[in-house]
Every structure is written in structure tokens, then in C-alpha cells.
Amino acid sequence: MQSVAAYGELRLITEIKRWLGNVSPKTPFGIGDDCAVIPPTKRHQLVTTDPVIYGQHFDDTVRPQDVGAKLLKRNLSDIAAMGGRPVAAVISLALAPETDIAWLKKFYLGLAATARAHHVRIVGGDITQGPAGFIGAFLTLHGESTGKRVITRTGASAGDHIYVTGNLGGSLAGHHYNFAPRLAEGRWLAGRSEVRAMMDVSDGIAKDLDSLTTRGLKASLNAATIPVSRAAQLLAKKTQRTALEHALCDGEDFELLIVVRQRADISRFERAWKKRFPRVPLSRIGHFVSGKKLLTGALNLSAYRGYEHLR
């Protein structure tokens, strides 16, 4: 009697509206119409989408409220990587008929709390029946630019510096859902003329760096400057892999990977960062070089592999 099948679609939608509270505005600006209406703005519009799926992005060890929070936060991280501000989201659910109502309520309460903290409105979505044992939640997040420019992944040149925020690796110890999207940091970086390109780290920098690397360039990284997390160090003792490998490959770090112009005053840039974000580490981990050969002592990234879907 406490499954979604016992409630049915219409009652479940009514309950979802109640669980979301003031995060979900009234129709037509929220749940209840064929489409939600998002007021127009003169800024660049940003759209991203990411799911959480049982057995892939979470399991029974993760509290349902943390699953709901993760769903929104992994999308917020994409908005942060463009230097944007989140606005509104729609969420679609594919649920096995036996999905527990109490679990789903806590999921939505976690989602609502995160949305409230980041001023995001949940404005619509859809519910469909999934196969036995399946829980999937799919969120599309709309955002907008906060200034004149939107930071993309393109534009790196030879000599440009590579930075990363925070610490890397060992995300399965809890960081994969218990993290803070770098929204304020992304907005600040988008306003800095030194910054040429940026992305968030979701699949491990061993893979994600490829998306920032212009054809004809290579990323030359110094192993000693990679900010390895304590969780990666502890995990390495159990897996017989190095902590550095975990830092490069684990993924779901949700930190920012940043390209800074070669001619920038990096000392001034780093001082400005430390003044603005004193609690968030910023590490210069290398630079881009032209040609096919790496510099002596540089990490051979081809020996590492980040997370790749469908492999």
C-alpha cells in the first residue's frame, strides 16, 4: 500500500507538488500545464541535463534525500562550468511499480532543499512506469549567463596554464553526492579576462582534459601539483592502485578545470582567487604545449583512463 503503484499517477503528482512546496510555482510557471512558462531574458540561455539511475549513480547506501540533492547538484555543476546562474528545472521519473513512497518523498525533500538553497524553481516534468527494480530520475536545468561572456571548453593555446579547483579522487567515499557546486567560483571566473576556457570534472581529468585540448596541443601535467584528496589516498590502500591514479581517473569530482592565458599575471590571478575564495584550493597543475612530444617529467596521460560511458 506504500508503493507508487498504490498511489497512481494523479495522486503521486499531487504529493510531489506538496513535497516541493514553494520551490514549485503555480501553473503556468510551474507543474500543471503542458509546458512550463519561463519568462524571457536578454541574457544567454543555458540548458543542461543529467540523470541519476539506481545501480549506476547511487545504491542503497546513499540516503534518498542525498540522491535528490545529487540529481540537481550534478546539473548545477554544468551551469557553474559556463559561469552561469541556474533558473528553473524539469524532472522526469521512470519508476518501478514497487518504488516506496517514503523513499520518493525523502528524495523530493532533498531535491527541494537543494533547489531552495540555489534559487532554482522546479517547474514541471513527467512520470512513467519503469521495469521492476528500476529507479531513474532525469533532470533538465535551465540557466542564464551572468555577464557578457559565457565560458566554453574551446580556445586553449600553447603555453596556457591549466588550473583545477578543490581536491581530486576517491569520490565514491561520499563526495559523489556530498559536494558543493562551484557556482560562485564559476561566475567569478567568467568575469576574469585571464580565463580562456573551462569545464567541470565529472569523468576524471585524465579524460576531461581532452575536451579542453585544442588540436595540435598536449596537456603537460606535473604529478606533484595534482591535488590528491585524502579519500583517494585512503582508497589507494584498498585497491592497490596509486592515489594519483584515483585522482586522475575516478570522476564525479565536480570541480572546475580552468585554462588561463599564457600572458596572464598568474601571481595576481592566484592572489585574487585566494582573497575571494580562501577556503577553496586552486592548483596550477600544468600547461599546454605544442607538438606530439611531452616535456621531460610530464605525466603521460595516455597511460590513464577516466570514466567513459558505454565501455
Side-chain angles (χ1 to χ4, degrees):
M1 294 300 295
Q2 293 303 309
S3 69
V4 294
Y7 271 50
E9 181 183 3
L10 296 179
R11 183 183 174 189
L12 187 56
I13 291 172
T14 300
E15 288 298 301
I16 287 171
K17 289 181 183 179
R18 188 169 64 85
W19 297 335
L20 289 173
N22 63 0
V23 166
S24 183
K26 294 181 179 180
T27 183
F29 299 99
I31 297 171
D33 224 309
D34 291 298
C35 296
V37 177
I38 300 175
T41 123
K42 294 182 180 180
R43 298 183 180 274
H44 294 290
Q45 298 299 294
L46 309 174
V47 182
T48 186
T49 185
D50 258 317
V52 289
I53 296 172
Y54 179 69
Q56 180 70 22
H57 302 101
F58 68 95
D59 56 23
D60 293 331
T61 66
V62 182
R63 302 184 309 165
Q65 52 266 51
D66 291 329
V67 178
K70 176 177 179 174
L71 174 62
L72 180 52
K73 289 193 294 184
R74 61 191 278 130
N75 283 274
L76 289 170
S77 185
D78 287 334
I79 297 291
M82 305 288 284
R85 178 181 75 87
V87 175
V90 295
I91 172 175
S92 293
L93 300 175
L95 302 173
E98 71 272 16
T99 303
D100 183 60
I101 285 291
W103 187 96
L104 193 61
K105 177 181 179 179
K106 291 177 182 177
F107 168 90
Y108 266 99
L109 292 178
L111 174 68
T114 304
R116 201 169 289 116
H118 294 285
H119 309 290
V120 176
R121 295 293 185 93
I122 307 298
V123 298
D126 190 40
I127 298 173
T128 190
Q129 181 173 322
F134 185 85
I135 299 177
F138 308 83
L139 188 139
T140 298
L141 180 61
H142 293 249
E144 63 181 16
S145 62
T146 55
K148 294 182 179 180
R149 62 190 297 234
V150 173
I151 302 296
T152 69
R153 298 178 178 186
T154 60
S157 296
D160 284 352
H161 307 282
I162 303 170
Y163 284 83
V164 70
T165 63
N167 297 303
L168 306 174
S171 61
L172 281 179
H175 182 81
H176 72 100
Y177 64 84
N178 186 23
F179 66 93
R182 301 298 189 192
L183 285 161
E185 295 87 344
R187 289 194 294 269
W188 184 86
L189 289 162
R192 300 291 301 195
S193 61
E194 302 100 325
V195 176
R196 197 189 287 273
M198 185 163 63
M199 69 179 295
D200 78 327
V201 183
S202 56
D203 295 329
I205 64 172
K207 176 184 175 225
D208 289 337
L209 257 174
D210 284 345
S211 297
L212 288 175
T213 306
T214 305
R215 181 176 295 182
L217 300 183
K218 276 189 173 293
S220 177
L221 301 188
N222 180 355
T225 62
I226 305 295
V228 180
S229 71
R230 176 64 175 160
Q233 295 170 353
L234 293 174
L235 189 59
K237 296 178 181 179
K238 299 178 181 179
T239 63
Q240 305 304 310
R241 296 163 59 196
T242 66
L244 177 63
E245 184 178 355
H246 281 292
L248 294 172
C249 303
D250 282 358
E252 292 207 309
D253 299 297
F254 299 111
E255 296 293 349
L256 296 178
L257 196 55
I258 308 148
V259 179
V260 173
R261 299 176 188 276
Q262 178 185 16
R263 296 184 179 180
D265 184 339
I266 58 174
S267 295
R268 180 185 176 190
F269 173 72
E270 291 172 4
R271 287 196 304 269
W273 172 275
K274 192 170 184 178
K275 183 178 180 180
R276 180 67 178 82
F277 303 105
R279 297 183 178 181
V280 181
L282 180 70
S283 303
R284 181 157 53 101
I285 60 174
H287 61 283
F288 288 105
V289 296
S290 58
K292 297 182 179 180
K293 292 185 178 180
L294 289 173
L295 299 177
T296 302
L299 271 174
N300 179 15
L301 286 176
S302 65
Y304 300 90
R305 176 179 289 176
Y307 179 79
E308 185 174 351
H309 297 272
L310 305 178
R311 290 198 66 169

